[in-house]
Structure formats: structure tokens, C-alpha cells
Amino acid sequence: MASEKIERTSIEMNNEDTNLRERSSLPPSKKSFKTQNLGITERAFSAAGAAFFSVIIANPLDVAKTRLQAQAAGVPYSHPLSNMTSRMACFGPNMMFADLRCSPSCHRAGIQGTVSICPPECFRYKGTLDVIYKIIHQEGVAKLWRGTNAGLALAVPTVGIYLPCYDILRNWLEDFTAKNAPTTVPYVPLAAGSLARSLACATCYPIELARTRMQAFKVTEIDKKPPGVFQTLLGVMSHVKSTNNPQSNLRGYRLLWTGMGAQLARDVPFSAICWSTLEPTRRKLLSFVKHDEANVFSVLGANFGAGFVAGTLAAGVTCPLDVAKTRRQIEKDPMKALKMTTRQTLMDVWRGGGLKGLFAGFGPRVCRLGPSVGLVISFYEVVKFGLHHYNTSS
């Protein structure tokens, strides 16, 4: 009788230990690092550093994605003086012999009177590489990093909120569900990722609006410096803002959050898919590492591989919602922008472009987010790993 009770107790303890190991995203020997009480400052520093490098490296693909989606929405990318109205506005002694080619090296331009001008094909984007090629030749290499300042101003605080909040929420929810609802443990990454992303999105949304507009629109006046983040946001509000009308002022500030519903509709499913894929994939990859052989390279490799797979999958699935977000953010009519809904926008895209319209910018979006998620997650976890060892050795 006593031996049976001891045996049952031993089996229950073994089962409990197995469950704890299965829930961990790291091998058992690294569980202490995973649950190490790193402060919010250390977590935010790790996340901000990851976001910084991700934005710098991936910004050209983000510009390409936004340009393709904006073009599908009807944004023109012609030479600023290729229409008669613009020519008349800039008419001068040199206008008679104006060169309106897309770039000085273009050989497809024809002569219309005394004006050298390119055909429409020179200003229409056909794909990701074509966008990058034409931006380099028509606007200069620097324009591939258009909106980088907004991207950094957005990504550093956003990811600095997002990843630490995800970490904290996941750890708390894992402990809570393990004690009260063990069957819901697999859904913890999904819930934690969705909540953390919603908080980060709501906090920094106006900067996201500015970045999308900065990337989508070309400067229409020659020799004019493109507007920065602050000027772009002022331009958004200037259509309706009036110092004599409080209602117009309020409407102007509301425009700064135009499309946030579409952003949440994109980011919440993205985070849910990403984390629910990343956690089991990372756990599986780390299970191949022996408990006493964990190092920076194993943490880096497992997290980058899992992040790449999860980011690629989530980016592809949520592409139509990204198209809807871009359309709502680049809408220039303030009254229409305030009345637009994500569902209505998706229906308009479907009627106008079908499946191709819903997945406009799919290539650059997937190519950007797969490596970006892998880079951000691996950098974040490696810095945490390093901080942990620094704290334990000091």
C-alpha cells in the first residue's frame, strides 16, 4: 500500500516536471535564464536595439511594399512636370527645352515638341526589384531609406513596449493557466502577443501614419525638400484644423489616428499567428541543444530560425489587412478618411483589383518581415542572455 502511494507520487511529480519543460521555450538548463527577473529597463534596451537594426536593414523593402500598394490605390508616380498644369505653373525661359525624362540615363524618352519626356511605363512599378531600381535611378539611393527617421521613432519605442510586455504577460499567463486551466497553456503566446501588440500600436500610431505617407508620396515640386515626420502630421491636420472652430480642431486630431482600426486588425492577428508559431518552433529547435552546451550561438540560431518562419507565415496571411491599412492611411480626403472602415476598404480593393489587389506588395512584405522578425527576436534574446550572464557573474 505504502509502495503504491510512493509510486503514484513519483509519477505525478514526473508528469508535473514534464509539463513545466514542455511549456518552456528554452531547454530545462536555461529555464533560469528564461524566467530570470530582468528589469523592464534591460528588456526595453534589448528590444530597442533589435528594432534599430531591423529598421535600418529592412527599410528599402518597406518603401517598395508601400509604393506598390499606393500605386494599386491610384497614387500617380509620374514626373512632377509631365502634365500640362504643372508645366504652365513652372513656365519659364528654360521650359522650352525642358528635360522631363525619368532619369538622365533613360533612353526610352521621346520628343514632344521641344520637350524630352518618358513614356508612362517609366513611372509604373512592376514588382519589388523594379520599384527599387526605379527609385535609385529616378530619386537617388537615399530615397530607399525614406521614412527611416519615422521608422526609428516608431520602432524603438513600439518594440521597446511590445517585446517586454509580451515577455511579462506570457510569463504571468503561463503561471496562471498552469495552475488554473492547464489545457489553455498552448494559447498563452497568442493572447500575450495580441495584448502586447495592441498596447504598442495605440501608443505610437501617429508616427506610423506619418511613415506610411512619407514612403507613399513622391515630392511633386522640383528642388523641394521632402517633409519630415512633424510636417507630415501637420499636413494631415491642416485640411480641417481651424483655430475658430473647436469641432474642426477635434476632427483634425482624430485624423492622426486614421486607420488605427485597420492597423489593429492587421497587427493583432499578425502577433497571434507569429507567436503561436514561433514559440513551439523555437522550443523544438532548442530541444536539439544539449542542456550543458547552451551558448550565444544556439540561442541566436534557434530564435532567428523560429522568428523567420513565424514572421514569413504571419506576413503572408495578413497581407490583405496591410493593404487596407495603407489605403486608409494615404487617403487625402479628410471627410472620407474619417468615414472609411476596414471592411469597406477591403471590399473596395476586391472590387477594383480582385485577389491581386488584396495581395499587392506581398513579395516585399514577406521578404522584409521574415528576416526582420528573426533579427529582432534573436537580437532581443541574445542581449537578454548576455545581460543575464553579466548580472550573475558580477
Side-chain angles (χ1 to χ4, degrees), residues 16-88:
E16 184 178 355
D17 182 63
T18 301
N19 289 333
L20 286 171
R21 292 184 181 216
E22 287 176 352
R23 284 190 285 112
S24 173
S25 63
L26 294 174
S29 65
K30 286 176 276 185
K31 180 65 178 175
S32 59
F33 159 65
K34 182 67 180 176
T35 58
Q36 179 74 16
N37 292 323
L38 287 175
I40 188 70
T41 303
E42 288 88 347
R43 293 177 188 272
F45 172 77
S46 305
F52 177 84
F53 287 107
S54 175
V55 169
I56 295 297
I57 293 171
N59 198 78
L61 288 171
D62 199 36
V63 171
K65 183 265 299 181
T66 303
R67 289 283 180 98
L68 286 170
Q69 291 179 348
Q71 177 180 259
V75 174
Y77 289 112
S78 59
H79 191 283
L81 297 181
S82 60
N83 63 78
M84 188 58 66
T85 303
S86 297
R87 289 192 208 177
M88 293 301 294

Side-chain angles (χ1 to χ4, degrees), residues 25 42 144 209 223:
S25 63
E42 288 88 347
L144 289 175
L209 176 65
D223 296 330

Side-chain angles (χ1 to χ4, degrees), residues 23-309:
R23 284 190 285 112
S24 173
S25 63
L26 294 174
S29 65
K30 286 176 276 185
K31 180 65 178 175
S32 59
F33 159 65
K34 182 67 180 176
T35 58
Q36 179 74 16
N37 292 323
L38 287 175
I40 188 70
T41 303
E42 288 88 347
R43 293 177 188 272
F45 172 77
S46 305
F52 177 84
F53 287 107
S54 175
V55 169
I56 295 297
I57 293 171
N59 198 78
L61 288 171
D62 199 36
V63 171
K65 183 265 299 181
T66 303
R67 289 283 180 98
L68 286 170
Q69 291 179 348
Q71 177 180 259
V75 174
Y77 289 112
S78 59
H79 191 283
L81 297 181
S82 60
N83 63 78
M84 188 58 66
T85 303
S86 297
R87 289 192 208 177
M88 293 301 294
C90 297
F91 191 84
N94 297 325
M95 191 62 210
M96 185 177 295
F97 305 102
D99 186 352
L100 301 183
R101 288 178 295 176
C102 61
S103 69
S105 61
C106 182
H107 300 291
R108 291 191 289 178
I111 302 296
Q112 295 183 7
T114 57
V115 177
S116 177
I117 188 169
C118 283
E121 291 76 21
C122 284
F123 301 101
R124 182 159 187 83
Y125 302 129
K126 300 175 183 177
T128 305
L129 295 178
D130 190 52
V131 175
I132 294 173
Y133 175 82
K134 285 178 178 175
I135 288 177
I136 291 173
H137 282 76
Q138 296 173 14
E139 304 172 55
V141 177
K143 290 299 186 291
L144 289 175
W145 278 267
R146 177 85 173 116
T148 301
N149 55 345
L152 291 173
L154 171 72
V156 172
T158 299
V159 178
I161 294 168
Y162 178 38
L163 291 181
C165 285
Y166 170 76
D167 256 0
I168 294 167
L169 284 169
R170 183 200 57 203
N171 292 340
W172 181 80
L173 287 172
E174 277 185 345
D175 292 339
F176 179 82
T177 53
K179 295 176 183 176
N180 299 283
T183 56
T184 62
V185 169
Y187 304 103
V188 164
L190 186 150
S194 300
L195 290 171
R197 190 62 192 176
S198 298
L199 176 62
C201 174
T203 305
C204 305
Y205 181 77
I207 305 175
E208 168 67 24
L209 176 65
R211 181 179 69 158
T212 300
R213 284 178 168 257
M214 290 168 69
Q215 292 176 342
F217 299 119
K218 291 172 71 172
V219 178
T220 56
E221 296 180 30
I222 297 176
D223 296 330
K224 182 179 179 181
K225 184 180 179 181
V229 178
F230 186 65
Q231 289 80 7
T232 301
L233 293 178
L234 286 179
V236 171
M237 295 191 297
S238 64
H239 296 289
V240 295
K241 195 174 186 297
S242 171
T243 55
N244 300 322
N245 191 337
Q247 186 176 2
S248 294
N249 289 339
L250 179 62
R251 192 179 294 121
Y253 290 115
R254 279 181 58 199
L255 283 171
L256 294 179
W257 274 265
T258 298
M260 194 177 82
Q263 174 98 354
L264 288 171
R266 180 200 70 173
D267 283 2
V268 171
F270 178 91
S271 293
I273 296 168
C274 183
W275 288 111
S276 58
T277 304
L278 188 147
E279 291 289 0
T281 305
R282 174 167 61 182
R283 190 179 304 124
K284 182 67 175 178
L285 291 173
L286 286 167
S287 68
F288 295 112
V289 181
K290 292 182 180 180
H291 300 168
D292 56 349
E293 293 180 0
N295 54 38
V296 169
F297 297 105
S298 62
V299 173
L300 175 66
N303 281 281
F304 183 83
F308 182 89
V309 172

